[in-house]
Every structure is written in C-alpha cells, then in structure tokens.
Amino acid sequence: MEWQLAAPTLIELILCGFIIVLAVAVSIMYSHVKQLRTALSDSEQNSASAIARTEALAKNANNQQTEAQARTLVITRHLQELDEKQTDIENQLRELKLQDPSLRLYQRAADLVKQGASIEEIIEACDIPRAEAEMLMMVHKQNS
C-alpha cells in the first residue's frame, strides 16, 4: 500500500485545532496547579510557624502562671507564720500585763543583784524591804 498524502478535511482540521487548544489548556492548568501547590506549601509552613510561636507563648504564659502561683503559696505561708508569731507575741504581752507587779519588782531586784548593785540601791530602785533585799543577795551569791 502506498501512502497517499491527501488534503485534510475540514473536520480533521477542526479536530487538530481542538487538540492543540486542549493541550495548551492542560499546560496552563498544570502551571496553575503547580503555583497553587507552591502557595499551599508556603501557607502550611507559615501556619506551622505561627502555631509554633503561639504554642511557645502559651507555654511561657503557663510557666509564668505556675511561678506566680508558687510565689503566692510561699507568701501565704509566710503571712500565716507571721500571723501566728504576732498572735503569740500578743498573748505574751497580755500575760505580762496580767502578772503581779510585785513579781516584776523581785525580778528586777534579782537582775540588779546579778549586776552587782548594793543593798541600798536595790531597796531604793525596787521599793522592797531590807530583809527581802538581803535575802535576794544571799540567794544569788550562793548560786554564783
């Protein structure tokens, strides 16, 4: 068989043109798909980066909150201790106010004896009888 070159018919020409148009359309669409994939990849990277930054900020805020709670707990404990100490001091002060004043005089006299005061100084400072001052002197000299 011999190949004859015959003139293309109108339908063949239209089909060839249509095929060329389809090929151009497919290549244009492929180019757009490639651009969209690149844009999507960039968008995913940007989103991942934003998520990582947000998670880091959230972790930092959580750490700060934990530290603040720990500090608050420590401060609360210190305040409770101070409150207890203040209550103890107030109770001791009340007890001292309720003590017999004469006992305080004898305590002062004993302190003066320990400091080396004379009997006359003790009698004058504490307003106690001579016999009691002499007795305090003897007791504290024996203990020394």
Side-chain angles (χ1 to χ4, degrees):
M1 255 189 172
E2 218 177 281
W3 288 90
Q4 292 181 351
L5 292 176
T9 61
L10 182 61
I11 292 177
E12 290 173 341
L13 289 176
I14 290 174
L15 283 175
C16 283
F18 185 67
I19 290 173
I20 292 172
V21 168
L22 281 176
V24 169
V26 166
S27 68
I28 291 172
M29 289 180 80
Y30 178 76
S31 171
H32 284 303
V33 167
K34 191 174 180 180
Q35 288 176 353
L36 287 173
R37 282 186 182 169
T38 304
L40 180 61
S41 175
D42 291 345
S43 178
E44 286 175 344
Q45 288 176 354
N46 290 339
S47 296
S49 172
I51 288 171
R53 284 191 307 270
T54 303
E55 287 175 346
L57 288 173
K59 186 176 181 180
N60 187 22
N62 191 26
N63 288 342
Q64 288 177 354
Q65 182 182 11
T66 302
E67 282 182 30
Q69 287 173 339
R71 276 188 245 126
T72 301
L73 185 61
V74 168
I75 290 171
T76 301
R77 286 181 186 156
H78 285 292
L79 287 174
Q80 288 173 343
E81 290 174 10
L82 288 173
D83 189 42
E84 290 172 4
K85 287 179 182 179
Q86 179 182 1
T87 303
D88 288 345
I89 291 171
E90 288 172 351
N91 289 337
Q92 290 174 1
L93 184 61
R94 266 191 231 103
E95 288 175 13
L96 285 174
K97 286 180 180 178
L98 294 175
Q99 280 183 354
D100 185 10
S102 63
L103 293 178
R104 282 188 271 157
L105 288 176
Y106 288 108
Q107 181 62 43
R108 184 159 184 253
D111 290 341
L112 288 172
V113 169
K114 288 178 186 175
Q115 294 173 5
S118 68
I119 291 178
E120 284 75 24
E121 291 172 334
I122 296 170
I123 292 170
E124 194 175 308
C126 300
D127 195 30
I128 59 174
R130 177 175 279 283
E132 290 176 1
E134 289 173 352
M135 183 188 69
L136 282 171
M137 292 281 280
M138 289 187 330
V139 168
H140 285 288
K141 284 184 181 179
Q142 288 175 356
N143 290 340
S144 299

